[in-house]
Amino acid sequence: VVDTLKIDQLRVAVGKSAGAVNQLGGATAVGQLAGNANQAKNAVAFGFQAGQTTQGGIAIGANAGNTSQAVGAVAVGVSAGNDTQGRDTVAIGNSCAGTSQGDGAIAIGSSAGNLVQGRSSIAIGKDTASASQPPNQIFINASGTPVNGANASACYITPLRGVAHGIGVGLLKYDPVGFELTYSTT
């Protein structure tokens, strides 16, 4: 028994209320309420309520790209890019870039860039910049704890290993053979 099954030369919709209102050519919606209203040309929505309202990119996972996903946006994971995902953005991981991801932003990892991720910002790692990330900020987090950076146009990395290089406390050193970035403790 199928509640909604629409397959024609231009679009595909499978699932209750999938692709129901204004689904444009080349669009695919699979799952209950997937691509339900205003699914853009060539958009793809897979999962319960994926790309549900005004979807323009790729949404894979329950509630991924759910509301106002712009053209060129990619959301993969449960609730990834859930509400207001900007143009040419990437959200990969459960609940990452959940609310208001700015144009060109990238969030990778569970809850990364979850609440207001600024334009052209990058958040990599679980719970990285999950409270609010300013524009043009890079934050790479492998510490296992939630972290946020305060400054726009800044770069944050954690953890960095401290080594007694003898070049001055806090100075950075790059190892071109082992590719590690460390800071001097002496």
Side-chain angles (χ1 to χ4, degrees):
V1 176
V2 176
D3 187 81
T4 301
L5 175 60
K6 174 174 61 174
I7 301 173
D8 63 27
Q9 293 177 340
L10 298 177
R11 57 197 152 258
V12 174
V14 178
K16 184 175 178 74
S17 300
V21 179
N22 198 29
Q23 183 188 36
L24 298 183
T28 302
V30 178
Q32 183 178 352
L33 293 165
N36 175 261
N38 302 315
Q39 189 180 28
K41 182 178 180 182
N42 301 321
V44 176
F46 282 97
F48 175 73
Q49 294 181 341
Q52 182 178 359
T53 307
T54 313
Q55 190 230 355
I58 297 171
I60 301 173
N63 293 303
N66 180 272
T67 304
S68 299
Q69 184 190 45
V71 173
V74 176
V76 179
V78 174
S79 296
N82 181 268
D83 185 14
T84 314
Q85 189 179 21
R87 290 182 69 90
D88 305 319
T89 55
V90 176
I92 300 174
N94 292 340
S95 298
C96 67
T99 303
S100 192
Q101 186 181 33
D103 292 347
I106 298 170
I108 300 174
S110 178
S111 295
N114 188 43
L115 181 61
V116 187
Q117 186 180 27
R119 179 184 177 94
S120 301
S121 287
I122 300 170
I124 299 175
K126 183 181 184 324
D127 297 319
T128 301
S130 60
S132 182
Q133 187 176 27
N136 308 307
Q137 183 190 85
I138 299 169
F139 207 132
I140 301 171
N141 173 27
S143 70
T145 58
V147 291
N148 292 286
N151 300 314
S153 301
C155 182
Y156 297 84
I157 301 172
T158 185
L160 279 182
R161 190 167 65 93
V163 178
H165 292 302
I167 59 173
V169 175
L171 294 178
L172 295 179
K173 182 175 182 189
Y174 175 70
D175 177 358
V177 176
F179 310 109
E180 183 180 13
L181 181 64
T182 57
Y183 70 92
S184 181
T185 59
T186 58

